[in-house]
């Protein structure tokens, strides 16, 4: 029995198998199961990105971790450039990670260098309103050199302007006049050289005499100092003496006060008694002079005068 072969089915099977083989080869060539996964990040540059192309390498401390996926101007500010990076998943992109544009050697091919990222910093996350996490940037070496050169050129321009102002016609004329005056002074000094030498010699002698006088004045000043010290000691002694005298006067005043309060009244009473005694003695002497016998025989009664009697003296008192 003859078998019939369906060539159409065989041909279709071969085509399908070939397509599967080609797809498998392409899949394996593109990485297949080992294909890497990437995360997208945004970086905003404020400088020119000339020399940076799509698929330019993105390096982290010199290690390739991704590529530049997109380069475009910022629609809100054309002075800035938005760069989108495709970075391998698992790369430690932290909040303090920064991106810097660099060039490779003399070829001028630009790439992006990531740096920073301390161990304790948190991972970089997308903020509200931004589809991608934003990596901070800092100026590249070329930008910093350009800024420095621009500043230096501005200062050089200002310096040259100042120099031109200094070297104006008026200043040059004044400078020439000053040089002429200096030359005239120099000629005058040269013509009077001998007088200047003599003046210098006299000045040296004067300084020498002054030094001698100052040396001789030293002992005089010492003696004056000793005299001043002696005067000061004498003043201190006088001060202490005046203090002692003041104390003595105060003590004498207290004694005089006590004398006035205690002794004077007693003295007054004694003087009063002496006055009474002197009066009595005077009377006694007067009586003795009138009647010396009375001193021996005592006083005799005085006889009554005419018309006087004992009745005439009712009190019975004797008259003196």
């Amino acid at each position: 029995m003859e078998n019939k072969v369906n060539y159409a089915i065989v041909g279709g099977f071969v085509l399908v198998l070939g397509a599967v083989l080609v797809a498998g080869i392409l899949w394996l060539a593109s990485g297949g199961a080992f294909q890497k996964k990437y995360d997208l990040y945004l970086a905003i540059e404020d400088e020119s990105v000339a020399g940076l192309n799509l698929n330019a390498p993105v390096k982290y401390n010199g290690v390739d971790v991704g590529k530049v996926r997109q380069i475009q101007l910022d629609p809100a500010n054309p002075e800035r450039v938005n760069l989108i990076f495709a970075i391998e998943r698992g790369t430690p992109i932290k909040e303090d990670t920064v991106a810097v544009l660099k060039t490779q050697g003399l070829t001028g091919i630009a790439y992006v260098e990531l740096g920073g990222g301390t161990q304790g910093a948190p991972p970089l996350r997308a903020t509200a309103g931004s589809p991608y996490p934003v990596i901070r940037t800092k100026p590249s070496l070329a930008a910093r050199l350009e800024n420095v050169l621009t500043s230096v050129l501005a200062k050089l321009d200002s310096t040259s302007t100042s120099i031109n102002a200094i070297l104006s016609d008026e200043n040059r004329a004044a400078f020439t006049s000053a040089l002429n005056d200096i030359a005239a002074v120099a000629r005058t000094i040269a013509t009077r050289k001998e007088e200047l030498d003599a003046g210098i010699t006299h000045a040296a002698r004067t300084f020498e005499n002054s030094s001698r006088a100052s040396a001789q004045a030293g002992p005089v000043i010492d003696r004056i100092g000793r005299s001043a010290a002696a005067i000061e000691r004498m003043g201190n002694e006088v001060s202490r003496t005046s203090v002692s005298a003041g104390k003595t006067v105060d003590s004498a005043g207290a004694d005089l006060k006590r004398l006035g309060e205690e002794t004077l009244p007693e003295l007054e009473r004694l003087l009063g008694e002496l006055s009474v005694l002197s009066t009595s003695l005077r009377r006694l002497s007067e009586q003795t002079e009138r009647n010396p016998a009375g001193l021996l025989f005592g006083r005799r009664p005085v006889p009554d005068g005419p018309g006087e009697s004992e009745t005439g003296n009712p009190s019975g008192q004797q008259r003196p």
Side-chain angles (χ1 to χ4, degrees), residues 170-182:
E170 296 178 357
N171 292 335
R172 285 198 298 270
F175 186 69
T176 302
S177 176
L179 291 178
N180 293 330
D181 294 338
I182 293 172

Side-chain angles (χ1 to χ4, degrees), residues 200-253:
I200 293 171
T201 303
H202 290 314
R205 292 177 181 175
T206 302
F207 288 148
E208 183 178 359
N209 294 330
S210 299
S211 62
R212 291 178 180 175
S214 62
Q216 294 176 358
V220 176
I221 294 173
D222 294 336
R223 288 196 294 271
I224 292 173
R226 289 194 294 271
S227 300
I231 292 172
E232 183 179 2
R233 288 195 296 272
M234 184 175 66
N236 294 332
E237 294 294 334
V238 170
S239 177
R240 288 194 291 271
T241 303
S242 63
V243 172
S244 301
K247 292 180 180 179
T248 304
V249 170
D250 293 339
S251 178

Side-chain angles (χ1 to χ4, degrees), residues 153-178:
L153 290 175
K155 291 181 179 180
L156 288 175
D157 187 17
S158 176
T159 303
S160 63
T161 302
S162 301
I163 292 173
N164 290 331
I166 292 173
L167 298 178
S168 61
D169 295 336
E170 296 178 357
N171 292 335
R172 285 198 298 270
F175 186 69
T176 302
S177 176

